[in-house]
Amino acid sequence: MSRVILDEQAIRRAITRIAHEIIEHNKGIDNCILIGIKTRGIYLAKRLAERIEQIEGAKIPVGEIDITLYRDDLTVKSSNKEPIIQGTDIPVNIRDRKVILVDDVLYTGRTVRAGLDALIDIGRPEQIQLAVLIDRGHRELPIRPDYVGKNVPTSKSEKIVAKLCEVDMTDEVTIEQK
């Protein structure tokens, strides 16, 4: 059984709210960069950048980071038993910048921890903030988002499925039984 908790319009509103919060918290977007965690985090980061540009009239750089090699539960998916690396693309030096790390669903915190490790290997930002579309709780690490689209308390027998039209041909977030 699946229940929609965010539809296309609700996702759009959440992105708009997060964009305003990022601008307000950072007193503008000077020295900021959005970095999306692959896969859906990058599309959310791009949407946030578009919204921020509409609000501020200025572009914010957007990068993407692949955390595959930083995961503590490394999954091997290729035929030669090597992890599949999708690449990292960050258009500006992150040293002394405010990095806003973007992901779709925050659960245990392990994906974000891997993202933090990957960022620190690239450079030393002035600050790292975290923006997520959904915070479902059940943290295993002391990680807390700065910007949240929606808090969705869940049980461990449930799972959150975030779909974005860039990948899944639809925009919606559902809650399902595992």
Side-chain angles (χ1 to χ4, degrees):
M1 190 176 98
S2 166
R3 182 171 53 92
V4 175
I5 52 176
L6 289 180
D7 60 13
E8 182 180 353
Q9 204 171 19
I11 290 172
R12 193 171 40 253
R13 280 193 301 266
I15 288 170
T16 298
R17 189 177 65 258
I18 291 170
H20 279 284
E21 289 174 2
I22 288 169
I23 294 163
E24 188 175 325
H25 182 265
N26 292 291
K27 297 174 178 53
I29 56 168
D30 291 345
N31 210 32
C32 292
I33 179 173
L34 295 166
I35 298 182
I37 296 177
K38 296 224 176 178
T39 295
R40 285 167 188 79
I42 182 57
Y43 298 114
L44 290 169
K46 286 177 179 178
R47 290 183 190 190
L48 278 167
E50 287 172 15
R51 198 67 191 98
I52 287 169
E53 185 177 356
Q54 290 168 354
I55 297 163
E56 286 290 281
K59 286 187 182 290
I60 183 170
V62 180
E64 52 190 71
I65 197 159
D66 182 357
I67 59 155
T68 304
L69 294 178
Y70 294 89
R71 293 201 57 102
D72 56 9
D73 61 346
L74 188 64
T75 52
V76 177
K77 294 185 177 164
S78 63
S79 57
N80 64 357
K81 302 291 186 239
E82 291 295 317
I84 297 170
I85 310 298
Q86 297 175 325
T88 292
D89 177 24
I90 299 176
V92 296
N93 189 336
I94 65 169
R95 183 178 175 79
D96 298 325
R97 283 192 178 254
K98 293 178 185 174
V99 172
I100 298 105
L101 194 60
V102 182
D103 202 10
D104 55 353
V105 179
L106 177 57
Y107 181 33
T108 62
R110 294 183 181 278
T111 297
V112 172
R113 191 230 17 107
L116 293 171
D117 288 350
L119 283 173
I120 298 301
D121 276 358
I122 293 166
R124 189 179 190 285
E126 174 187 318
Q127 185 179 41
I128 301 174
Q129 301 166 20
L130 177 60
V132 297
L133 183 59
I134 301 290
D135 181 355
R136 64 167 290 190
H138 302 286
R139 221 73 81 239
E140 294 173 3
L141 300 170
I143 290 174
R144 181 184 55 82
D146 299 281
Y147 315 103
V148 179
K150 185 172 180 79
N151 284 294
V152 181
T154 61
S155 75
K156 290 196 175 197
S157 68
E158 295 171 315
K159 81 177 179 183
I160 299 285
V161 179
K163 294 180 181 174
L164 299 176
C165 62
E166 294 91 338
V167 183
D168 310 295
M169 309 312 153
T170 187
D171 273 353
E172 72 176 13
V173 179
T174 57
I175 187 167
E176 302 174 1
Q177 289 298 319
K178 281 187 181 175

Short mmCIF file of all heavy atoms in Angstrom, two decimals, residues 30-82:
data_model
loop_
_atom_site.label_atom_id
_atom_site.label_comp_id
_atom_site.label_asym_id
_atom_site.label_seq_id
_atom_site.Cartn_x
_atom_site.Cartn_y
_atom_site.Cartn_z
N ASP A 30 25.64 35.30 -1.64
CA ASP A 30 27.07 35.51 -1.86
C ASP A 30 27.86 34.41 -1.18
O ASP A 30 27.58 34.04 -0.03
CB ASP A 30 27.51 36.87 -1.29
CG ASP A 30 26.95 38.03 -2.08
OD1 ASP A 30 26.47 37.81 -3.21
OD2 ASP A 30 26.99 39.17 -1.56
N ASN A 31 28.83 33.88 -1.91
CA ASN A 31 29.74 32.87 -1.36
C ASN A 31 29.08 31.52 -1.09
O ASN A 31 29.63 30.69 -0.39
CB ASN A 31 30.40 33.41 -0.09
CG ASN A 31 31.78 32.84 0.12
OD1 ASN A 31 32.48 32.55 -0.85
ND2 ASN A 31 32.17 32.64 1.35
N CYS A 32 27.86 31.30 -1.62
CA CYS A 32 27.16 30.03 -1.42
C CYS A 32 27.24 29.16 -2.67
O CYS A 32 27.37 29.66 -3.78
CB CYS A 32 25.68 30.27 -1.10
SG CYS A 32 25.39 31.06 0.50
N ILE A 33 27.16 27.87 -2.47
CA ILE A 33 27.06 26.90 -3.56
C ILE A 33 26.13 25.78 -3.12
O ILE A 33 26.16 25.36 -1.96
CB ILE A 33 28.44 26.33 -4.00
CG1 ILE A 33 28.26 25.29 -5.13
CG2 ILE A 33 29.19 25.77 -2.82
CD1 ILE A 33 29.57 24.79 -5.74
N LEU A 34 25.28 25.34 -4.03
CA LEU A 34 24.42 24.17 -3.78
C LEU A 34 25.11 22.95 -4.35
O LEU A 34 25.56 22.98 -5.50
CB LEU A 34 23.06 24.35 -4.48
CG LEU A 34 22.17 25.48 -3.99
CD1 LEU A 34 21.05 25.73 -4.99
CD2 LEU A 34 21.60 25.16 -2.63
N ILE A 35 25.20 21.88 -3.57
CA ILE A 35 25.79 20.63 -4.07
C ILE A 35 24.81 19.50 -3.78
O ILE A 35 24.49 19.21 -2.63
CB ILE A 35 27.16 20.34 -3.42
CG1 ILE A 35 28.14 21.47 -3.79
CG2 ILE A 35 27.68 18.98 -3.87
CD1 ILE A 35 29.54 21.29 -3.26
N GLY A 36 24.33 18.88 -4.85
CA GLY A 36 23.38 17.79 -4.74
C GLY A 36 24.07 16.44 -4.64
O GLY A 36 25.04 16.18 -5.34
N ILE A 37 23.54 15.60 -3.76
CA ILE A 37 24.03 14.22 -3.65
C ILE A 37 23.31 13.40 -4.72
O ILE A 37 22.09 13.44 -4.83
CB ILE A 37 23.76 13.64 -2.24
CG1 ILE A 37 24.54 14.42 -1.18
CG2 ILE A 37 24.12 12.16 -2.19
CD1 ILE A 37 24.29 13.97 0.25
N LYS A 38 24.07 12.67 -5.51
CA LYS A 38 23.48 11.85 -6.58
C LYS A 38 22.53 10.83 -5.99
O LYS A 38 22.82 10.28 -4.94
CB LYS A 38 24.59 11.15 -7.36
CG LYS A 38 25.49 12.15 -8.07
CD LYS A 38 25.78 11.69 -9.45
CE LYS A 38 26.58 12.73 -10.19
NZ LYS A 38 26.94 12.39 -11.50
N THR A 39 21.43 10.55 -6.56
CA THR A 39 20.97 11.01 -7.85
C THR A 39 19.96 12.14 -7.69
O THR A 39 20.08 13.19 -8.32
CB THR A 39 20.32 9.84 -8.63
OG1 THR A 39 21.30 8.86 -8.91
CG2 THR A 39 19.70 10.29 -9.92
N ARG A 40 18.95 11.95 -6.87
CA ARG A 40 17.86 12.93 -6.83
C ARG A 40 18.25 14.25 -6.17
O ARG A 40 17.67 15.28 -6.46
CB ARG A 40 16.63 12.32 -6.18
CG ARG A 40 15.94 11.34 -7.13
CD ARG A 40 14.91 10.45 -6.47
NE ARG A 40 14.46 9.44 -7.40
CZ ARG A 40 15.15 8.33 -7.70
NH1 ARG A 40 16.31 8.10 -7.12
NH2 ARG A 40 14.68 7.46 -8.57
N GLY A 41 19.24 14.24 -5.32
CA GLY A 41 19.70 15.48 -4.68
C GLY A 41 20.17 16.51 -5.69
O GLY A 41 19.97 17.71 -5.50
N ILE A 42 20.78 16.04 -6.78
CA ILE A 42 21.27 16.99 -7.78
C ILE A 42 20.11 17.69 -8.48
O ILE A 42 20.16 18.89 -8.75
CB ILE A 42 22.23 16.33 -8.80
CG1 ILE A 42 22.76 17.37 -9.81
CG2 ILE A 42 21.59 15.19 -9.56
CD1 ILE A 42 23.46 18.55 -9.21
N TYR A 43 19.02 16.97 -8.74
CA TYR A 43 17.87 17.61 -9.39
C TYR A 43 17.17 18.58 -8.45
O TYR A 43 16.70 19.64 -8.87
CB TYR A 43 16.90 16.55 -9.92
CG TYR A 43 17.57 15.68 -10.96
CD1 TYR A 43 17.81 14.33 -10.72
CD2 TYR A 43 18.01 16.22 -12.17
CE1 TYR A 43 18.46 13.55 -11.66
CE2 TYR A 43 18.66 15.44 -13.11
CZ TYR A 43 18.88 14.11 -12.85
OH TYR A 43 19.54 13.34 -13.78
N LEU A 44 17.14 18.24 -7.17
CA LEU A 44 16.58 19.17 -6.19
C LEU A 44 17.46 20.41 -6.08
O LEU A 44 16.96 21.54 -5.99
CB LEU A 44 16.44 18.49 -4.82
CG LEU A 44 15.35 17.42 -4.74
CD1 LEU A 44 15.47 16.64 -3.43
CD2 LEU A 44 13.97 18.03 -4.87
N ALA A 45 18.79 20.23 -6.12
CA ALA A 45 19.71 21.37 -6.06
C ALA A 45 19.50 22.29 -7.27
O ALA A 45 19.48 23.52 -7.14
CB ALA A 45 21.16 20.88 -5.99
N LYS A 46 19.32 21.70 -8.44
CA LYS A 46 19.10 22.51 -9.65
C LYS A 46 17.78 23.27 -9.56
O LYS A 46 17.69 24.44 -9.95
CB LYS A 46 19.12 21.62 -10.90
CG LYS A 46 20.52 21.15 -11.26
CD LYS A 46 20.51 20.22 -12.47
CE LYS A 46 21.92 19.78 -12.82
NZ LYS A 46 21.95 18.83 -13.94
N ARG A 47 16.75 22.62 -9.03
CA ARG A 47 15.46 23.30 -8.86
C ARG A 47 15.57 24.45 -7.85
O ARG A 47 15.00 25.51 -8.04
CB ARG A 47 14.38 22.32 -8.41
CG ARG A 47 13.98 21.32 -9.49
CD ARG A 47 12.87 20.45 -8.97
NE ARG A 47 12.58 19.32 -9.83
CZ ARG A 47 11.53 18.53 -9.68
NH1 ARG A 47 10.65 18.76 -8.71
NH2 ARG A 47 11.33 17.52 -10.49
N LEU A 48 16.32 24.20 -6.76
CA LEU A 48 16.53 25.25 -5.77
C LEU A 48 17.28 26.43 -6.39
O LEU A 48 16.94 27.58 -6.16
CB LEU A 48 17.33 24.71 -4.58
CG LEU A 48 16.54 23.96 -3.52
CD1 LEU A 48 17.49 23.21 -2.58
CD2 LEU A 48 15.64 24.89 -2.73
N ALA A 49 18.28 26.13 -7.22
CA ALA A 49 19.06 27.19 -7.87
C ALA A 49 18.17 28.03 -8.78
O ALA A 49 18.28 29.26 -8.80
CB ALA A 49 20.22 26.58 -8.66
N GLU A 50 17.29 27.38 -9.53
CA GLU A 50 16.36 28.10 -10.41
C GLU A 50 15.46 29.02 -9.59
O GLU A 50 15.23 30.17 -9.93
CB GLU A 50 15.49 27.12 -11.21
CG GLU A 50 16.21 26.40 -12.31
CD GLU A 50 15.36 25.31 -12.96
OE1 GLU A 50 14.13 25.29 -12.75
OE2 GLU A 50 15.94 24.46 -13.66
N ARG A 51 14.93 28.48 -8.49
CA ARG A 51 14.02 29.26 -7.64
C ARG A 51 14.75 30.44 -6.99
O ARG A 51 14.24 31.55 -6.92
CB ARG A 51 13.42 28.33 -6.58
CG ARG A 51 12.20 28.87 -5.92
CD ARG A 51 11.04 28.97 -6.94
NE ARG A 51 9.97 29.72 -6.37
CZ ARG A 51 9.76 31.03 -6.61
NH1 ARG A 51 10.53 31.69 -7.43
NH2 ARG A 51 8.78 31.66 -6.02
N ILE A 52 15.98 30.18 -6.50
CA ILE A 52 16.78 31.24 -5.88
C ILE A 52 17.08 32.34 -6.90
O ILE A 52 17.00 33.52 -6.58
CB ILE A 52 18.08 30.66 -5.26
CG1 ILE A 52 17.73 29.87 -3.98
CG2 ILE A 52 19.10 31.75 -4.96
CD1 ILE A 52 18.85 29.03 -3.41
N GLU A 53 17.39 31.95 -8.13
CA GLU A 53 17.66 32.94 -9.17
C GLU A 53 16.41 33.79 -9.46
O GLU A 53 16.50 35.00 -9.65
CB GLU A 53 18.13 32.26 -10.46
CG GLU A 53 18.55 33.25 -11.52
CD GLU A 53 19.09 32.61 -12.79
OE1 GLU A 53 19.22 31.36 -12.82
OE2 GLU A 53 19.36 33.35 -13.74
N GLN A 54 15.23 33.16 -9.45
CA GLN A 54 13.98 33.91 -9.66
C GLN A 54 13.76 34.91 -8.53
O GLN A 54 13.30 36.02 -8.75
CB GLN A 54 12.79 32.95 -9.74
CG GLN A 54 12.75 32.11 -10.99
CD GLN A 54 11.73 30.98 -10.90
OE1 GLN A 54 11.12 30.75 -9.86
NE2 GLN A 54 11.54 30.26 -12.00
N ILE A 55 14.11 34.52 -7.31
CA ILE A 55 13.89 35.38 -6.14
C ILE A 55 14.95 36.48 -6.06
O ILE A 55 14.63 37.66 -5.87
CB ILE A 55 13.90 34.54 -4.84
CG1 ILE A 55 12.76 33.52 -4.84
CG2 ILE A 55 13.82 35.45 -3.61
CD1 ILE A 55 12.92 32.41 -3.81
N GLU A 56 16.22 36.10 -6.21
CA GLU A 56 17.33 37.02 -5.99
C GLU A 56 17.80 37.74 -7.26
O GLU A 56 18.52 38.72 -7.17
CB GLU A 56 18.53 36.27 -5.40
CG GLU A 56 18.37 35.89 -3.95
CD GLU A 56 18.41 37.08 -3.02
OE1 GLU A 56 19.51 37.59 -2.72
OE2 GLU A 56 17.33 37.51 -2.59
N GLY A 57 17.47 37.20 -8.43
CA GLY A 57 17.95 37.79 -9.67
C GLY A 57 19.42 37.52 -9.91
O GLY A 57 20.07 38.19 -10.71
N ALA A 58 19.98 36.53 -9.22
CA ALA A 58 21.39 36.17 -9.39
C ALA A 58 21.51 34.65 -9.37
O ALA A 58 20.73 33.96 -8.70
CB ALA A 58 22.22 36.78 -8.27
N LYS A 59 22.50 34.16 -10.09
CA LYS A 59 22.72 32.71 -10.14
C LYS A 59 23.54 32.26 -8.94
O LYS A 59 24.41 32.96 -8.46
CB LYS A 59 23.48 32.33 -11.41
CG LYS A 59 22.66 32.40 -12.68
CD LYS A 59 23.46 31.82 -13.84
CE LYS A 59 22.70 31.92 -15.14
NZ LYS A 59 21.56 31.05 -15.25
N ILE A 60 23.22 31.05 -8.47
CA ILE A 60 24.01 30.40 -7.43
C ILE A 60 24.64 29.17 -8.08
O ILE A 60 23.97 28.44 -8.82
CB ILE A 60 23.13 30.02 -6.20
CG1 ILE A 60 23.97 29.41 -5.08
CG2 ILE A 60 21.99 29.09 -6.59
CD1 ILE A 60 23.20 29.23 -3.76
N PRO A 61 25.95 28.95 -7.87
CA PRO A 61 26.57 27.78 -8.50
C PRO A 61 25.96 26.48 -7.97
O PRO A 61 25.55 26.40 -6.80
CB PRO A 61 28.05 27.87 -8.09
CG PRO A 61 28.23 29.20 -7.45
CD PRO A 61 26.88 29.74 -7.10
N VAL A 62 25.90 25.47 -8.84
CA VAL A 62 25.36 24.16 -8.48
C VAL A 62 26.38 23.09 -8.86
O VAL A 62 26.89 23.08 -9.97
CB VAL A 62 24.03 23.87 -9.22
CG1 VAL A 62 23.49 22.50 -8.81
CG2 VAL A 62 23.01 24.94 -8.94
N GLY A 63 26.64 22.21 -7.92
CA GLY A 63 27.53 21.08 -8.18
C GLY A 63 26.84 19.78 -7.83
O GLY A 63 25.74 19.78 -7.27
N GLU A 64 27.51 18.69 -8.17
CA GLU A 64 26.97 17.38 -7.81
C GLU A 64 28.10 16.53 -7.28
O GLU A 64 29.25 16.67 -7.69
CB GLU A 64 26.29 16.72 -9.01
CG GLU A 64 27.12 16.65 -10.26
CD GLU A 64 26.30 16.20 -11.47
OE1 GLU A 64 25.46 16.99 -11.94
OE2 GLU A 64 26.51 15.06 -11.90
N ILE A 65 27.74 15.67 -6.34
CA ILE A 65 28.75 14.85 -5.69
C ILE A 65 28.29 13.40 -5.68
O ILE A 65 27.12 13.12 -5.43
CB ILE A 65 29.06 15.39 -4.28
CG1 ILE A 65 30.36 14.81 -3.75
CG2 ILE A 65 27.93 15.15 -3.32
CD1 ILE A 65 30.94 15.66 -2.65
N ASP A 66 29.22 12.51 -5.98
CA ASP A 66 28.95 11.07 -5.94
C ASP A 66 29.61 10.53 -4.67
O ASP A 66 30.82 10.66 -4.50
CB ASP A 66 29.54 10.39 -7.18
CG ASP A 66 29.26 8.90 -7.21
OD1 ASP A 66 28.67 8.37 -6.25
OD2 ASP A 66 29.65 8.26 -8.20
N ILE A 67 28.82 9.94 -3.81
CA ILE A 67 29.34 9.48 -2.51
C ILE A 67 29.61 7.98 -2.49
O ILE A 67 29.91 7.43 -1.43
CB ILE A 67 28.35 9.84 -1.39
CG1 ILE A 67 26.99 9.19 -1.66
CG2 ILE A 67 28.22 11.34 -1.24
CD1 ILE A 67 26.16 8.97 -0.45
N THR A 68 29.53 7.33 -3.64
CA THR A 68 29.64 5.86 -3.70
C THR A 68 30.81 5.32 -2.89
O THR A 68 30.65 4.42 -2.08
CB THR A 68 29.77 5.39 -5.16
OG1 THR A 68 28.66 5.90 -5.90
CG2 THR A 68 29.80 3.88 -5.26
N LEU A 69 31.99 5.88 -3.09
CA LEU A 69 33.18 5.34 -2.41
C LEU A 69 33.27 5.72 -0.94
O LEU A 69 34.12 5.22 -0.22
CB LEU A 69 34.45 5.81 -3.14
CG LEU A 69 34.61 5.25 -4.55
CD1 LEU A 69 35.86 5.82 -5.20
CD2 LEU A 69 34.66 3.73 -4.53
N TYR A 70 32.40 6.60 -0.49
CA TYR A 70 32.42 7.06 0.90
C TYR A 70 31.39 6.36 1.77
O TYR A 70 31.33 6.59 2.96
CB TYR A 70 32.20 8.58 0.95
CG TYR A 70 33.34 9.34 0.32
CD1 TYR A 70 33.33 9.64 -1.03
CD2 TYR A 70 34.43 9.74 1.09
CE1 TYR A 70 34.39 10.33 -1.61
CE2 TYR A 70 35.48 10.44 0.52
CZ TYR A 70 35.46 10.72 -0.83
OH TYR A 70 36.50 11.40 -1.39
N ARG A 71 30.57 5.53 1.16
CA ARG A 71 29.51 4.86 1.91
C ARG A 71 30.10 3.76 2.79
O ARG A 71 31.03 3.08 2.40
CB ARG A 71 28.47 4.26 0.96
CG ARG A 71 27.69 5.36 0.23
CD ARG A 71 26.39 4.86 -0.30
NE ARG A 71 25.56 4.32 0.73
CZ ARG A 71 24.53 4.94 1.28
NH1 ARG A 71 24.21 6.14 0.91
NH2 ARG A 71 23.81 4.36 2.19
N ASP A 72 29.51 3.58 3.97
CA ASP A 72 29.97 2.50 4.84
C ASP A 72 29.25 1.19 4.54
O ASP A 72 29.54 0.16 5.12
CB ASP A 72 29.84 2.87 6.32
CG ASP A 72 28.43 3.26 6.72
OD1 ASP A 72 27.49 3.08 5.90
OD2 ASP A 72 28.25 3.73 7.85
N ASP A 73 28.31 1.24 3.59
CA ASP A 73 27.59 0.03 3.16
C ASP A 73 27.76 -0.12 1.65
O ASP A 73 26.81 -0.37 0.93
CB ASP A 73 26.11 0.11 3.53
CG ASP A 73 25.41 1.29 2.87
OD1 ASP A 73 26.10 2.19 2.33
OD2 ASP A 73 24.17 1.31 2.89
N LEU A 74 29.00 0.06 1.18
CA LEU A 74 29.32 0.08 -0.24
C LEU A 74 28.65 -1.08 -0.97
O LEU A 74 28.84 -2.24 -0.64
CB LEU A 74 30.84 -0.02 -0.41
CG LEU A 74 31.39 0.17 -1.81
CD1 LEU A 74 31.09 1.59 -2.31
CD2 LEU A 74 32.88 -0.07 -1.81
N THR A 75 27.83 -0.73 -1.96
CA THR A 75 27.16 -1.75 -2.75
C THR A 75 27.86 -1.89 -4.08
O THR A 75 28.23 -0.91 -4.71
CB THR A 75 25.68 -1.39 -3.00
OG1 THR A 75 25.61 -0.08 -3.52
CG2 THR A 75 24.87 -1.48 -1.73
N VAL A 76 28.05 -3.13 -4.48
CA VAL A 76 28.73 -3.42 -5.74
C VAL A 76 27.67 -3.81 -6.75
O VAL A 76 26.89 -4.73 -6.52
CB VAL A 76 29.75 -4.58 -5.54
CG1 VAL A 76 30.40 -4.93 -6.85
CG2 VAL A 76 30.78 -4.18 -4.50
N LYS A 77 27.65 -3.11 -7.88
CA LYS A 77 26.59 -3.35 -8.84
C LYS A 77 27.10 -3.71 -10.23
O LYS A 77 26.33 -4.04 -11.10
CB LYS A 77 25.69 -2.12 -8.94
CG LYS A 77 24.92 -1.87 -7.65
CD LYS A 77 23.96 -0.74 -7.77
CE LYS A 77 23.17 -0.60 -6.48
NZ LYS A 77 22.49 0.64 -6.34
N SER A 78 28.39 -3.61 -10.47
CA SER A 78 28.89 -3.90 -11.81
C SER A 78 29.32 -5.37 -11.91
O SER A 78 29.52 -6.04 -10.90
CB SER A 78 30.06 -2.98 -12.15
OG SER A 78 31.14 -3.22 -11.27
N SER A 79 29.47 -5.84 -13.12
CA SER A 79 29.79 -7.26 -13.34
C SER A 79 31.18 -7.63 -12.84
O SER A 79 31.44 -8.76 -12.48
CB SER A 79 29.65 -7.62 -14.82
OG SER A 79 30.50 -6.77 -15.58
N ASN A 80 32.11 -6.67 -12.80
CA ASN A 80 33.46 -6.98 -12.31
C ASN A 80 33.61 -6.73 -10.81
O ASN A 80 34.70 -6.66 -10.29
CB ASN A 80 34.51 -6.20 -13.11
CG ASN A 80 34.38 -4.71 -12.91
OD1 ASN A 80 33.48 -4.23 -12.23
ND2 ASN A 80 35.28 -3.96 -13.52
N LYS A 81 32.48 -6.59 -10.12
CA LYS A 81 32.42 -6.43 -8.66
C LYS A 81 32.98 -5.10 -8.17
O LYS A 81 33.24 -4.93 -7.00
CB LYS A 81 33.13 -7.58 -7.93
CG LYS A 81 32.59 -8.96 -8.27
CD LYS A 81 31.21 -9.14 -7.70
CE LYS A 81 30.71 -10.55 -7.91
NZ LYS A 81 29.50 -10.63 -8.67
N GLU A 82 33.18 -4.16 -9.08
CA GLU A 82 33.63 -2.82 -8.70
C GLU A 82 32.40 -1.94 -8.51
O GLU A 82 31.42 -2.08 -9.23
CB GLU A 82 34.53 -2.23 -9.79
CG GLU A 82 35.87 -2.93 -9.92
CD GLU A 82 36.74 -2.77 -8.68
OE1 GLU A 82 36.80 -1.66 -8.14
OE2 GLU A 82 37.32 -3.77 -8.26
#
